[in-house]
């Protein structure tokens, strides 16, 4: 009898471990699919934001002027300049983000073994969200560096090297300063994505809970709720992330030697253009935030539901 109970306990433990591993794989794959959806919807907004953030004062009158000048110079395809790096890198970036968020939540449960309520609190969700940004940044930092340089290349009046594509950017950056040059701005990316991810996942979970009628499970797929909560999550993230994103874009896009670091870039930016410079690109970022992140979470939830049915 004791042997049977011991054997059953071992099987239960093995099943739970397999279930957790499967859950992690699903989080990874669904995050990657959601990221692809995000880039396809949001890249033109992102390009507009980056050009507004890095252009000299007076070059553009606003986001619509960026769009007008870009299309005039390069056609519609100009709005998708630099999409290669995020589209290629987005699968590991978003996959890592959602996988790390899942790991962050599991870490919270591991640290609170005596909890009676399985529902995570807002501070606990914020912890898991911030945690998700740490491994993600190691991929996102270099990808952002390449993306920013390609986005700025088509801007009239821009100076600096001419790149033939993402691989050429990496090659020239490595020649310029090795891995340090490729990873320039990675710390700035974490400064943006840490608080931003905390707000992102908190806002999504909280919005879904508020939008779900009493007695129903917030985890059940409801397209309207997912789109709304995802869009609000994106807006919450960018409301916090714009100032560090401005500094990150300027730091990553500037010629070598312009700034000694992230803080030096922030100091010089404020000294030259005032505090308002830290909110350049706020309009395009917020305009992008809702549709792009609504698409992200819809992609995540739909793919997750599909995988749940398959295995």
């Amino acid at each position: 009898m004791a042997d049977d109970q011991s054997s059953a306990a071992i099987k239960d433990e093995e099943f739970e471990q397999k279930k957790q591993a499967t859950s992690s794989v699903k989080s990874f794959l669904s995050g990657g699919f959601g990221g692809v959806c995000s880039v396809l919807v949001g890249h033109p907004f992102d390009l507009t934001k980056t050009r507004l953030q890095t252009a000299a004062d007076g070059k553009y009158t606003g986001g619509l002027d960026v769009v007008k000048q870009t299309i005039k110079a390069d056609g519609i395809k100009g709005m998708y300049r630099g999409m290669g790096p995020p589209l290629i890198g987005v699968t590991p970036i978003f996959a890592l983000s959602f996988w790390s968020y899942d790991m962050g939540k599991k870490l919270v449960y591991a640290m609170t073994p005596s909890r009676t309520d399985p529902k995570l609190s807002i501070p606990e969700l914020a912890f898991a969200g911030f945690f998700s940004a740490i491994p993600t940044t190691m991929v996102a930092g270099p990808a952002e560096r390449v993306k920013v340089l390609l986005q700025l290349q088509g801007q009239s009046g821009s100076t600096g090297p001419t790149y033939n594509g993402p691989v050429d950017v990496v090659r020239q950056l490595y020649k310029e300063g090795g891995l340090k040059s490729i990873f320039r701005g990675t710390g700035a990316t974490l400064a943006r994505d840490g608080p931003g991810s905390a707000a992102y996942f908190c806002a999504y979970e909280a919005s879904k809970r508020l939008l779900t009628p009493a007695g129903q499970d917030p985890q059940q797929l409801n397209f309207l709720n997912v789109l709304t909560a995802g869009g609000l999550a994106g807006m919450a993230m960018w409301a916090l992330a714009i100032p560090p994103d401005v500094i990150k874009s300027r730091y990553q896009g500037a010629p070598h030697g312009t700034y000694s670091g992230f803080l030096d870039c922030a100091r010089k930016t404020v000294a030259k253009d005032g505090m308002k410079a830290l909110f350049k690109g706020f309009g395009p970022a917020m305009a992008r935030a809702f549709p792009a992140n609504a698409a992200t979470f819809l992609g995540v939830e739909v793919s997750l539901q599909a995988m749940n049915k398959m295995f």
Side-chain angles (χ1 to χ4, degrees):
M1 180 69 71
D3 289 343
D4 290 343
Q5 290 178 341
S6 176
S7 177
I10 291 172
K11 287 182 179 179
D12 287 343
E13 184 177 350
E14 289 176 347
F15 175 76
E16 187 61 30
Q17 289 175 348
K18 185 176 180 180
K19 183 179 176 182
Q20 289 188 9
T22 302
S23 171
S24 297
V25 170
K26 289 177 182 177
S27 296
F28 187 85
L29 295 176
S30 63
F33 184 73
V36 171
C37 296
S38 173
V39 173
L40 293 176
V41 172
H43 189 78
F45 296 97
D46 189 59
L47 179 137
T48 302
K49 170 185 68 68
T50 301
R51 291 191 171 185
L52 265 181
Q53 288 175 342
T54 55
D57 271 350
K59 178 169 179 56
Y60 302 116
T61 59
L64 290 177
D65 190 42
V66 176
V67 174
K68 184 177 71 173
Q69 290 194 39
T70 300
I71 292 176
K72 183 179 179 180
D74 297 324
I76 291 294
K77 71 179 188 298
M79 296 302 299
Y80 289 89
R81 184 184 291 273
M83 191 174 75
L87 196 57
I88 293 169
V90 81
T91 299
I93 290 171
F94 275 78
L96 267 176
S97 177
F98 279 83
W99 174 81
S100 300
Y101 177 57
D102 188 48
M103 291 297 103
K105 290 192 290 185
K106 288 177 180 176
L107 184 58
V108 171
Y109 286 124
M111 293 188 298
T112 55
S114 59
R115 69 185 302 128
T116 56
D117 186 0
K119 185 169 71 173
L120 297 182
S121 67
I122 295 300
E124 288 171 334
L125 291 170
F127 170 83
F130 192 99
F131 179 84
S132 74
I134 297 172
T136 305
T137 297
M138 296 308 296
V139 178
E144 286 280 311
R145 170 90 154 121
V146 173
K147 181 196 74 174
V148 166
L149 288 172
L150 284 174
Q151 286 181 334
L152 297 182
Q153 181 173 265
Q155 191 168 254
S156 61
S158 62
T159 59
T162 298
Y163 304 109
N164 295 322
V167 175
D168 188 45
V169 175
V170 173
R171 183 183 62 79
Q172 291 196 44
L173 289 178
Y174 187 79
K175 185 178 179 181
E176 173 191 277
L179 288 175
K180 185 177 180 180
S181 181
I182 294 172
F183 279 84
R184 185 202 294 178
T186 298
T189 304
L190 181 60
R192 178 195 69 179
D193 290 351
S197 294
Y200 188 58
F201 288 108
C202 275
Y204 180 69
E205 299 286 359
S207 297
K208 275 186 71 176
R209 291 174 186 177
L210 287 172
L211 291 167
T212 303
Q216 292 187 17
D217 183 3
Q219 301 307 316
Q220 289 182 340
L221 184 62
N222 179 301
F223 287 106
L224 182 59
N225 287 359
V226 169
L227 288 170
T228 303
L232 292 174
M235 294 180 75
M237 177 182 71
W238 282 106
L240 282 181
I242 276 291
D245 186 62
V246 171
I247 305 305
K248 179 199 72 67
S249 294
R250 291 193 174 198
Y251 181 47
Q252 289 185 316
H256 180 66
T258 304
Y259 305 111
S260 62
F262 177 72
L263 293 179
D264 183 51
C265 181
R267 181 180 60 80
K268 288 180 177 177
T269 296
V270 173
K272 181 182 177 184
D273 300 323
M275 290 296 293
K276 70 179 188 299
L278 298 180
F279 294 90
K280 276 191 172 183
F282 184 81
M286 296 304 282
R288 173 191 181 276
F290 197 97
N293 290 286
T296 298
F297 278 101
L298 184 62
V300 168
E301 296 283 9
V302 168
S303 59
L304 202 53
Q305 290 281 338
M307 285 187 285
N308 285 338
K309 291 178 180 178
M310 290 188 291
F311 57 93

